[in-house]
Amino acid sequence: MENTYFVVLNGNNQPSGPYPRNVLLQMIQNGTINADTLLWDPVSQAYIKIQTSPDFQDVQFGSAQSTPVTPPVQSTPVPTTTHSENTSAGRDVPQSGISAVSIVGFVLALLGTICLFVIQFLPFEIDVDSMRWVTSSSIEHDLNLYMAWYCGLVVGCALAIIGLAMVVGSIVKNRKDSMAIVGLVFCVISICLAGFSLTQLVDKTNSYTTLKLEKEEIKEEVKREKREASKKIESQNEAINAVTSAIAAALG
């Protein structure tokens, strides 16, 4: 994207523009702008003579000089439009306001905090240390919650890390980015919640493994009871058939 510039034209104490470089070159050729015309320099944050600007040092100005223009007083609004790219000095132009990156970083940090906060309050029903009178429905319920806990931990940590990288980058570029600062606060909260959750990781893993084993044992017990019930029914049917056959033989 082409750079644009603000200038103070002859007889006007207010900044005009922004103008692209090719327009200013045309003004220089037709005499509207001379070597003493003031140009806004975003690097020094001040008006300088156009002939001293790094972007116009290779331009030949006419010999005709016009009446010097008084630089705008401090009450004159400073142009808010800066170069679209870094200046030739190689330094970044200070920016103000909220950037899109800081907004995205804030949203990710907030979502990460929500994920890590919610998993702290999942309603588990079973205390693995005293598993008495545990029903299969309770085991199934807690197993689903453990999966949600693991997913929330992974997703929350991932969102917090990505959000942290984005908001820190925004703060480095612009320390006045309020959205990035708030996002950084949520990132710190997420890190604290993630650290607390990681301390519970071993206990959660052991509990999850215990409940899975208990679930398998209950399944095997149910299958065994079904097989035994099926055998009893078969034996009862055989006894009934034998009695029926005996009665039929006596009557026949």
Side-chain angles (χ1 to χ4, degrees):
M1 183 180 297
E2 186 178 6
N3 293 339
T4 56
Y5 307 85
F6 285 90
V7 294
V8 179
L9 299 178
N10 296 337
N12 183 6
N13 198 34
Q14 298 293 330
S16 301
Y19 300 107
R21 189 175 188 274
N22 60 343
V23 173
L24 293 184
L25 293 177
Q26 293 177 1
M27 290 183 178
I28 293 172
Q29 292 177 359
N30 60 32
T32 305
I33 293 176
N34 57 49
D36 293 330
T37 299
L38 297 179
L39 177 139
W40 175 255
D41 180 28
V43 177
S44 61
Q45 293 292 299
Y47 283 94
I48 61 174
K49 292 183 179 181
I50 191 171
Q51 65 179 353
T52 63
S53 172
D55 294 346
F56 293 91
Q57 288 181 348
D58 58 342
V59 177
Q60 296 294 328
F61 293 89
S63 59
Q65 300 293 326
S66 61
T67 303
V69 179
T70 305
V73 295
Q74 293 182 353
S75 60
T76 302
V78 175
T80 57
T81 303
T82 60
H83 291 300
S84 61
E85 298 178 354
N86 293 341
T87 63
S88 58
R91 294 183 295 176
D92 292 333
V93 179
Q95 302 291 332
S96 61
I98 299 172
S99 66
V101 175
S102 63
I103 295 175
V104 176
F106 165 77
V107 173
L108 294 178
L110 178 60
L111 293 176
T113 302
I114 293 174
C115 289
L116 293 169
F117 183 78
V118 168
I119 64 174
Q120 310 301 325
F121 299 96
L122 293 178
F124 294 101
E125 295 181 354
I126 300 173
D127 182 7
V128 180
D129 295 332
S130 57
M131 291 183 61
R132 295 184 178 180
W133 311 106
V134 176
T135 62
S136 58
S137 60
S138 296
I139 293 176
E140 192 70 29
H141 173 270
D142 277 17
L143 286 177
N144 293 331
L145 286 186
Y146 276 115
M147 293 303 299
W149 188 89
Y150 290 126
C151 291
L153 178 61
V154 173
V155 173
C157 289
L159 292 175
I161 292 173
I162 298 173
L164 178 62
M166 298 182 75
V167 299
V168 169
S170 297
I171 292 175
V172 170
K173 293 181 179 179
N174 179 16
R175 296 181 181 180
K176 296 182 179 180
D177 194 331
S178 57
M179 186 67 71
I181 295 173
V182 176
L184 180 61
V185 173
F186 278 106
C187 287
V188 173
I189 296 174
S190 298
I191 292 172
C192 294
L193 291 173
F196 177 75
S197 298
L198 290 174
T199 60
Q200 299 178 322
L201 185 59
V202 175
D203 292 337
K204 296 291 186 183
T205 303
N206 293 336
S207 300
Y208 178 73
T209 303
T210 302
L211 290 182
K212 284 189 67 177
L213 294 175
E214 186 69 21
K215 180 181 178 180
E216 295 299 326
E217 291 178 359
I218 291 176
K219 285 184 178 180
E220 292 297 328
E221 182 66 24
V222 171
K223 291 180 180 179
R224 185 165 51 253
E225 290 178 353
K226 286 183 177 180
R227 288 194 296 268
E228 293 177 355
S230 177
K231 290 180 180 179
K232 290 181 179 179
I233 292 173
E234 289 178 359
S235 61
Q236 289 175 356
N237 289 335
E238 291 176 357
I240 292 172
N241 291 334
V243 171
T244 303
S245 300
I247 293 173
L251 295 176

